[in-house]
Amino acid sequence: MTVTTLQGVSDAAVIEQSWQVPGVFAVLYERHAPHIIRYVARRLGDDLADDVTAETFYRAFEKRRRYDLERPDARPWLYGIAANVMAQHHRRETRMLRAFARSGVDPVAQAYGGQLDGADDRLTAAGMHRSLAVALAGLSRAHREVLLLVAWADLSYEETAQALGTSVGTVRSRLHRARKRIRAALGTENPLFVGDEG
């Protein structure tokens, strides 16, 4: 099986094939790296996005034999690995959000312009206000991670739970608390509140 014949094949099948032919793992990179890079850039800035993404895929490659082949989509798994890599940069993310709050300039929206995906478009169209950046900076890492995986990575509650290795109930609880804090800080509806909270 070559990389060209893997179009339309599930991520799980690609991962399984990579056990025998390691180079096939590059298909996952081609499929998912652009989204991971944008997500990391939004959280940590452009200067770390490539390095964190590379580390994410390196760790994924090293762990590929432990991947649950019952899960056809590797996106949640990859975002979970990225979350673990980004955890090392939690302070930087908080500083970046506070800098954005002071300046009002979203460097990621400027840098990626037309390349933003649906979640980013909603957020950019609504305008990420300084007060939102302050509110995000004030969230704990656990609450911020859940909120941004749902809002910026467009993961479902189930996918977010899978990415973070937790239960859907924990995701719902953390998301509810994070949204409540953001609403209290902003006093209005906000573009991060995508989907239902039920």
Side-chain angles (χ1 to χ4, degrees):
M1 196 178 291
T2 66
V3 171
T4 56
T5 63
L6 291 175
Q7 292 176 341
V9 174
S10 75
D11 292 342
V14 170
I15 291 169
E16 185 176 27
Q17 179 65 25
S18 77
W19 296 350
Q20 308 306 315
V21 183
V24 169
F25 197 81
V27 171
L28 282 187
Y29 186 86
E30 291 171 13
R31 288 179 182 175
H32 301 294
H35 304 287
I36 300 286
I37 287 171
R38 279 196 308 268
Y39 180 70
V40 173
R42 180 160 292 287
R43 304 260 325 254
L44 300 177
D46 274 338
D47 54 329
L48 284 177
D50 287 334
D51 291 343
V52 169
T53 301
E55 179 69 17
T56 296
F57 280 90
Y58 172 76
R59 290 184 186 185
F61 181 80
E62 292 294 308
K63 297 177 179 184
R64 72 189 190 283
R65 289 191 180 271
R66 296 191 305 256
Y67 182 77
D68 180 358
L69 296 175
E70 295 296 314
R71 298 180 186 272
D73 184 2
R75 253 178 4 122
W77 178 63
L78 292 168
Y79 276 107
I81 294 169
N84 288 334
V85 175
M86 284 189 295
Q88 301 165 14
H89 302 281
H90 178 67
R91 285 189 183 137
R92 178 188 172 88
E93 178 182 30
T94 302
R95 282 192 307 269
M96 189 172 126
L97 285 166
R98 288 187 178 137
F100 171 72
R102 286 189 303 274
S103 70
V105 177
D106 183 350
V108 176
Q110 288 181 333
Y112 286 93
Q115 299 176 26
L116 297 177
D117 62 17
D120 289 325
D121 287 341
R122 286 191 298 276
L123 188 59
T124 302
M128 182 171 167
H129 303 288
R130 292 175 182 183
S131 53
L132 176 58
V134 171
L136 286 171
L139 293 176
S140 71
R141 186 175 79 77
H143 288 106
R144 187 185 311 157
E145 199 68 62
V146 166
L147 180 67
L148 297 182
L149 281 171
V150 170
W152 287 351
D154 251 352
L155 296 185
S156 69
Y157 293 177
E158 292 77 14
E159 290 170 329
T160 301
Q162 180 188 344
L164 298 176
T166 189
S167 70
V168 172
T170 298
V171 167
R172 289 181 184 278
S173 174
R174 287 179 184 168
L175 189 58
H176 175 74
R177 285 189 200 113
R179 286 175 168 168
K180 187 175 177 180
R181 283 190 167 166
I182 298 289
R183 280 191 186 111
L186 297 179
T188 117
E189 277 302 308
N190 163 321
L192 286 175
F193 306 144
V194 184
D196 68 81
E197 283 191 65

